[in-house]
Amino acid sequence: MLPKTLTFLSSIGLALPALAMAATELDTNGDGLLTLDEVQVVLPDTTAESFTAMDANSDGALDVEEVGMAQDAGLLPKG
């Protein structure tokens, strides 16, 4: 699981400078996914509604693919 988590955090770090600033602290539960609470640490204006729009598979968390799709849709800033 550690390589997957590190890969995810590296991807976030390259893709979102705002998230990169707190990448080591973002995934507080260490599952390799970002929850709304974790995203709001560095992007406090993220609402439940906008997070739901980014959460393509409706699992309550963002994976690397969902972050990329959210960037392409303009819901998250691009790096």
Side-chain angles (χ1 to χ4, degrees), residues 16-70:
L16 297 172
L19 294 178
M21 292 171 49
T24 58
E25 298 174 15
L26 268 186
D27 185 18
T28 56
N29 62 5
D31 65 355
L33 303 170
L34 295 178
T35 63
L36 174 59
D37 291 338
E38 291 170 331
V39 171
Q40 286 177 329
V41 169
V42 293
L43 298 173
D45 293 336
T46 305
T47 65
E49 292 79 19
S50 64
F51 188 85
T52 298
M54 293 183 269
D55 185 15
N57 63 4
S58 301
D59 67 351
L62 301 179
D63 59 27
V64 174
E65 291 178 26
E66 289 169 322
V67 168
M69 290 187 304

